Amino acid sequence: MNPNSAEISDEFLARLKQDLVSRRVERGMALLEDHRQLLASFDPEKKNAGRFAGYLAQWVDLGFERNGLVKGIVALFSKAARAHLPLEDYLYLRMAEGMVAMSEESTDEAIRHFDFVLSLDHETADQELVAIANFWKGRCLRMKGEYDQARGFAIKGRDLALQLGHQPMAAVMRVLESWLFFQKGDAKQAIDILQETEAVLSETDDYLTLGNIHSSYGRIARRQGRYQHAIDSFTSAISLYKKRDPQHRNVARTLNNMAYVKRLIALQLRRKIDADAARRRKAAVRGRASNGQGKPQYRNRFEQLREAALAELAEAAAIYQQYEYHHGLGSVNLNYAYLYLDNGDLEQAEAAAKTSFRLAEEKRDYILMARARMLRCMIENARVEEGIGESTEPGNHARLAQDFAHEAIDLAKHTQNRRLLAHTYIWQGLTHCNRFFDDPDAARLCYDQVITLSKGDHADSAWEDLQTLKAKVLRGGNVNPTLRAWSQGSVGDKTFQQISEEFAELIIPKVWEREGRKVSRVAARLSVSPKKVRRILNRVGLRKPRGE
């Protein structure tokens, strides 16, 4: 034991804890500054050493210095020092280790620490500790895309905090709960929770959580297509984050989101520019006068938005580099790749998408890996449509697009992100529709998967991609002449029973093919008897009657 190290008094810890649960952030951080000597001469064998490490982890999570501070403190606890820790001190130490792992994107390792704490929840009277363990595990599960489990742990943490009378602490946990509702498609419930938590936390100086609330407003608005509202919310979030730390990681995240929204607005303007150009060309063909170069304000605004997006991505990348944060840097590279793809710079788009995937793969970040592979699919499809490389290696880019689509789907299936999985199926369908494969029937199967997964709820540009797929599927399909005649009321002298039987002969064989030629699956899908399915298939010559 170091005789020169400062004591960690019960009173000091009690004050730190009370400021934490009440979200009195400036006061708690000033208290830590007043005890800076504890950090300079920390002794893991002193009384309350493990508990202090756990509290410090929570304060660093709130913005007091960087994560390396906690990592250095935890490293001082030798195996021998750990063996002499009281149970609650040891649990707090494991919480600190979990927080370090969480901040370094090692979510499985972090969950192991939190699970250990939760496995002994009945052995400790410190229910604040148990509440935080549930909350932090929920955060890790959200990072992994396991939204159902994440919500369960967020709710457990929130309920414990409320039972203890810590409403501000519970409000922080409800922000995570709100985001998980949003990921499940319930934007209204998500906004209601955010507004309730904002009312509670507006009485505090917890600028990080308040910033998270406004960032969530922005993400919701973006997905709903209310882009200016999203930008306003992101601007508010950045202002709040910077009150705590101008270089905080959440500033970078929000700049990245802002850049993505500006890209979406730029795409809208480009469609207007293209439509305007098409009208001028049509007018010229008809011999009518055109109004010159179209609307210059569209082009000027388009360029401004792209430049602003690129500048925001550069600023975000510089902040993320300080933290060596793989997910953030991967997301920035993904947005760079989208901007390059939009501009037709396929080589730079491919390079940025590769970087994004590499960063994601190092942390087994399935969500980002799936997005990066989906983007590679988009790039290869662009090459197919432009005919790049087709003269030397026909079909190479088409097959690469197909491979990337399959991989994106497999990666998305490791998560519970339905929107992401739906978007990967959209691009698999668009790949089936490219000019090399030209397979609208296969694309239609993908379209059906998307509709089943998304239930009409699509994110951002995914809606435009879905409309493109829908148009290609419908344009590529041939309507059966009999169905076309019936749709016009032309039924001849057939009875309704005869029409029903004829319709069954049309539809059952198609469903049979889709269901892997399994009679039982067709019967279950259409709610008809297996006997009728076999009879129809026999009648149209697709199955031989038994005994032949």
Side-chain angles (χ1 to χ4, degrees):
M1 184 178 292
N2 181 3
N4 297 318
S5 60
E7 295 295 329
I8 307 171
S9 69
D10 292 338
E11 180 191 0
F12 167 60
L13 290 181
R15 290 172 63 192
L16 275 184
K17 179 176 182 177
Q18 192 55 44
D19 288 339
L20 270 171
V21 299
S22 302
R23 252 37 191 185
R24 295 192 293 258
V25 180
E26 291 292 349
R27 197 165 94 171
M29 290 187 177
L31 182 61
L32 282 169
E33 287 292 350
D34 290 342
H35 290 75
R36 175 70 68 170
Q37 72 275 14
L38 276 177
L39 304 175
S41 59
F42 184 79
D43 185 348
E45 296 186 12
K46 288 281 190 180
K47 178 188 174 185
N48 292 327
R51 187 183 295 269
F52 176 69
Y55 285 176
L56 182 64
Q58 293 180 59
W59 279 107
V60 169
D61 193 48
L62 259 174
F64 180 78
E65 295 203 10
R66 301 290 170 86
N67 300 325
L69 175 63
V70 182
K71 190 172 184 177
I73 292 292
V74 166
L76 295 174
F77 285 85
S78 65
K79 190 173 183 180
R82 289 165 180 259
H84 293 94
L85 287 174
L87 176 61
E88 286 191 355
D89 275 57
Y90 183 65
L91 294 179
Y92 269 105
L93 178 60
R94 292 294 294 267
M95 287 292 291
E97 290 178 304
M99 179 268 181
V100 170
M102 179 170 62
S103 69
E104 294 180 346
E105 303 170 84
S106 300
T107 50
D108 289 334
E109 180 187 345
I111 287 172
R112 283 194 292 272
H113 288 295
F114 303 144
D115 278 342
F116 178 83
V117 174
L118 292 172
S119 71
L120 295 171
D121 62 345
H122 296 300
E123 303 297 322
T124 175
D126 193 334
Q127 291 302 290
E128 286 89 355
L129 170 69
V130 178
I132 292 294
N134 277 289
F135 174 52
W136 282 0
K137 181 175 180 180
R139 283 170 57 181
C140 289
L141 290 167
R142 178 196 62 78
M143 291 166 68
K144 289 165 62 70
E146 297 176 14
Y147 300 134
D148 292 335
Q149 286 190 66
R151 183 166 167 262
F153 283 98
I155 289 172
K156 285 180 185 177
R158 175 254 287 169
D159 286 347
L160 270 174
L162 288 174
Q163 289 169 21
L164 294 165
H166 303 323
Q167 194 174 8
M169 181 181 177
V172 173
M173 298 173 181
R174 295 207 73 198
V175 176
L176 173 60
E177 185 186 348
S178 163
W179 179 245
L180 295 168
F181 269 112
F182 175 51
Q183 286 297 93
K184 299 296 285 185
D186 193 343
K188 182 181 183 305
Q189 181 72 2
I191 291 172
D192 288 346
I193 293 173
L194 289 174
Q195 290 173 341
E196 291 169 12
T197 56
E198 186 179 10
V200 173
L201 294 173
S202 61
E203 303 297 321
T204 75
D205 58 354
D206 185 357
Y207 299 126
L208 284 187
T209 306
L210 288 166
N212 289 340
I213 290 170
H214 283 272
S215 178
S216 295
Y217 285 143
R219 297 280 291 273
I220 293 169
R222 185 192 76 187
R223 192 167 287 168
Q224 294 172 338
R226 297 181 294 124
Y227 296 146
Q228 188 54 53
H229 186 84
I231 288 174
D232 293 342
S233 295
F234 289 144
T235 302
S236 297
I238 289 171
S239 177
L240 286 161
Y241 291 142
K242 286 186 173 182
K243 287 184 177 182
R244 180 62 54 222
D245 179 359
Q247 296 293 301
H248 195 276
R249 200 166 72 182
N250 291 7
V251 173
R253 184 190 68 198
T254 311
L255 285 167
N256 193 40
N257 285 327
M258 183 102 78
Y260 185 69
V261 171
K262 289 180 179 177
R263 171 195 170 244
L264 295 176
I265 298 173
L267 287 176
Q268 288 182 335
L269 283 173
R270 190 176 72 178
R271 284 192 287 271
K272 290 181 180 179
I273 293 167
D274 291 345
D276 192 40
R279 282 193 297 271
R280 292 200 309 275
R281 287 194 299 269
K282 189 177 290 185
V285 169
R286 293 175 178 174
R288 297 175 183 173
S290 102
N291 59 351
Q293 298 300 313
K295 298 180 179 179
Q297 68 269 28
Y298 284 168
R299 291 190 177 277
N300 292 340
R301 180 60 177 150
F302 174 80
E303 292 300 331
Q304 289 170 3
L305 286 163
R306 277 185 58 82
E307 290 303 316
L310 288 168
E312 284 155 357
L313 290 178
E315 187 179 349
I319 295 173
Y320 279 139
Q321 287 286 1
Q322 299 175 34
Y323 294 86
E324 299 181 357
Y325 186 49
H326 284 60
H327 180 84
L329 287 168
S331 296
V332 166
N333 274 278
L334 205 64
N335 279 339
Y336 270 128
Y338 274 118
L339 286 168
Y340 295 139
L341 176 61
D342 296 342
N343 211 36
D345 191 343
L346 303 185
E347 293 300 322
Q348 285 205 71
E350 180 180 345
K354 284 180 176 178
T355 300
S356 178
F357 184 82
R358 176 180 57 78
L359 288 164
E361 190 175 33
E362 288 176 10
K363 296 295 182 178
R364 303 309 296 166
D365 184 338
Y366 288 109
I367 291 177
L368 188 56
M369 289 164 70
R371 287 174 175 154
R373 281 305 190 232
M374 182 172 64
L375 184 49
R376 292 293 302 279
C377 172
M378 296 178 189
I379 293 166
E380 294 305 325
N381 271 301
R383 286 175 167 145
V384 171
E385 296 310 313
E386 293 181 14
I388 298 173
E390 290 300 309
S391 59
T392 57
E393 202 169 352
N396 180 52
H397 294 302
R399 283 186 284 271
L400 278 173
Q402 191 175 59
D403 291 344
F404 286 131
H406 283 307
E407 191 175 353
I409 289 169
D410 289 342
L411 290 164
K413 285 180 177 177
H414 280 83
T415 78
Q416 293 172 353
N417 193 323
R418 290 186 302 105
R419 291 184 183 87
L420 175 60
L421 182 58
H423 205 177
T424 58
Y425 274 116
I426 290 172
W427 272 96
Q428 186 182 53
L430 289 170
T431 302
H432 287 310
C433 288
N434 69 27
R435 66 188 183 90
F436 180 82
F437 291 119
D438 192 21
D439 188 350
D441 288 335
R444 190 175 292 107
L445 293 174
C446 294
Y447 180 79
D448 291 344
Q449 285 274 22
V450 175
I451 297 303
T452 301
L453 279 166
S454 59
K455 298 177 182 177
D457 184 20
H458 304 284
D460 313 322
S461 57
W463 174 252
E464 298 291 339
D465 294 339
L466 179 62
Q467 295 312 300
T468 301
L469 176 59
K470 182 179 180 181
K472 288 179 179 291
V473 165
L474 293 177
R475 189 163 56 243
N478 294 317
V479 179
N480 184 284
T482 301
L483 292 176
R484 185 183 294 111
W486 287 347
S487 71
Q488 301 298 318
S490 177
V491 297
D493 58 357
K494 293 184 177 73
T495 65
F496 185 76
Q497 181 61 37
Q498 290 172 322
I499 293 171
S500 297
E501 285 295 308
E502 197 169 337
F503 178 75
E505 290 177 8
L506 290 172
I507 198 68
I508 285 177
K510 297 291 186 184
V511 177
W512 181 65
E513 292 288 352
R514 285 197 181 192
E515 295 294 338
R517 300 192 171 194
K518 301 291 185 183
V519 169
S520 60
R521 287 166 62 176
V522 177
R525 180 75 180 271
L526 299 179
S527 297
V528 297
S529 70
K531 182 178 180 181
K532 180 170 184 176
V533 174
R534 284 191 288 270
R535 177 167 56 82
I536 295 296
L537 293 174
N538 291 340
R539 188 185 300 165
V540 298
L542 291 176
R543 277 175 60 95
K544 291 182 179 181
R546 289 181 179 177
E548 287 191 20

